[in-house]
Amino acid sequence: MIFSSRLIEDAVAEFSKLPGIGKKTALRMVLHLLRADDTNVDGFTQAISQMKHGVTFCEQCHNVADTKICAICVNTSRDRSQICIVENIRDVIAIETTQQFNGLYHVLGGILSPLDGIGPDQLNVYSLQQRVKNNAEIKEIIMALSPTLEGDTTVYFISKQLSGLPVKITAIARGISFGGELEYADEMTLARSIAKRLPIDNYVNVSGI
Amino acid sequence: MIFSSRLIEDAVAEFSKLPGIGKKTALRMVLHLLRADDTNVDGFTQAISQMKHGVTFCEQCHNVADTKICAICVNTSRDRSQICIVENIRDVIAIETTQQFNGLYHVLGGILSPLDGIGPDQLNVYSLQQRVKNNAEIKEIIMALSPTLEGDTTVYFISKQLSGLPVKITAIARGISFGGELEYADEMTLARSIAKRLPIDNYVNVSGI
């Protein structure tokens, strides 16, 4: 693409660096901002700037936070006996959005993957061990990791780390997705969902929808 | 979506205002910026801010410009005898990218559309008339507007405005797209491309690809 304005060219180049954004989409966004009110565009750049310079990571659970301890950890109405272990902050947002979990989190910052050079030292694993040791109120550790080989390895590693500590370790249920069709489910999932079948009482929709 | 950080929530909300960006894509971009270097993110916000506050419109052709007169209009190596009439700056970028046109432009800023309340007063039509009157070097006006009813109406209106002035008025060729298949071409396009058939000599690829 050839632009007659250097300023537009630079803005398009910056937008193109974002994931999944090509030159055409970037141009569309830049022209959108060019037409928008000055205050809206300043609001846009300020929100990003403030986010980048203001966001920190919670000292307790490693979730993103606006203060030293995140809003979830300081919330006194949450159940401090349950800690949900997740890979990253996207997973925290996903679980929070379901509004089905009222405990606290622990964000690992990744998943064990020796091939990618990610070992326990790269993850927030030891801080979890310390956290469980130092907080007698923690009764249950819920593993909410991806159902992959790396996820299972991580679950196993963490459960070893926590062995001997007085906590129950559970993992999120696996099975056929809501709205999923049996014939398209993979063999492993289907096999497991039959093996781990539930009494019909448990089939009520938890979210009450 | 429920976020535990107000700063991230605000940044996601701002990104979601962009055209074609949903909450999930917005979050993906925000998390990308969160992981990026501070300097990269500052570069991103600065490029947008500078674009918004720095870009102006060329006093001659109404194209976007970094200065009072745009880079195309001040370029002395361009052919000042040809003026290409386009609807918007996206069209200027599209034509510039083909590298097949070396004349100047005139950006209308829209297209005549009485139903949407867009008449000649909302467009840069009268400034075109003045420009042609005041510049004896202009010999040809090339209409590069969309092949729609509104586009044709606008072409007709402008040609009426310029009647009596010593310029040749032409329009971009219409026909089957390069790589297009005959059977999928609409009837009007196909009919016209047969009626306006060209000698085989003109079939050589202009871009030399």
Side-chain angles (χ1 to χ4, degrees), chain A residues 15-28:
Chain A
F15 262 113
S16 312
K17 290 179 190 166
L18 294 175
I21 302 294
K23 282 249 169 180
K24 284 210 167 182
T25 314
L27 176 63
R28 196 172 155 214

Side-chain angles (χ1 to χ4, degrees), chain B residues 27-79:
Chain B
L27 176 62
R28 196 172 154 213
M29 292 180 178
V30 168
L31 295 182
H32 171 88
L33 292 175
L34 190 62
R35 274 193 303 267
D37 282 350
D38 272 12
T39 50
N40 291 350
V41 178
D42 291 342
F44 176 77
T45 55
Q46 275 163 23
I48 291 161
S49 212
Q50 282 167 6
M51 182 275 294
K52 182 62 185 170
H53 297 289
V55 162
T56 174
F57 291 91
C58 175
E59 288 181 359
Q60 181 167 263
C61 76
H62 311 287
N63 184 16
V64 282
D66 299 344
T67 46
K68 274 190 163 187
I69 301 291
C70 78
I72 295 174
C73 285
V74 295
N75 187 341
T76 50
S77 73
R78 296 191 75 120
D79 184 353

Side-chain angles (χ1 to χ4, degrees), chain A residues 1-2 4-7 14 21 29 31-34 36 38 42 44 52-53 63 66 71 89-90 97, chain B residues 1-2 4-7 14 19 21 29 31 33-34 36 38 42 44 52-53 63 66 89-90 97:
Chain A
M1 271 192 208
I2 297 179
S4 56
S5 157
R6 180 93 211 157
L7 293 169
E14 286 293 336
I21 302 294
M29 290 180 179
L31 295 182
H32 172 88
L33 292 175
L34 189 62
D38 272 11
D42 292 342
F44 176 77
K52 183 62 185 170
H53 297 288
N63 184 17
D66 300 344
I89 56 174
R90 268 192 303 270
T97 304
Chain B
M1 271 193 208
I2 296 178
S4 56
S5 156
R6 180 92 210 159
L7 294 168
E14 286 293 335
I21 302 295
M29 292 180 178
L31 295 182
L33 292 175
L34 190 62
D38 272 12
D42 291 342
F44 176 77
K52 182 62 185 170
H53 297 289
N63 184 16
D66 299 344
I89 57 174
R90 266 192 304 268
T97 304

Side-chain angles (χ1 to χ4, degrees), chain A residues 37-82:
Chain A
D37 284 349
D38 272 11
T39 47
N40 291 349
V41 178
D42 292 342
F44 176 77
T45 54
Q46 275 162 23
I48 291 161
S49 214
Q50 283 168 6
M51 181 276 293
K52 183 62 185 170
H53 297 288
V55 163
T56 174
F57 291 90
C58 175
E59 289 180 358
Q60 180 167 263
C61 75
H62 312 287
N63 184 17
V64 283
D66 300 344
T67 45
K68 275 190 162 188
I69 301 291
C70 79
I72 294 175
C73 284
V74 294
N75 187 339
T76 50
S77 73
R78 296 191 74 122
D79 183 353
R80 270 141 215 291
S81 71
Q82 296 177 327

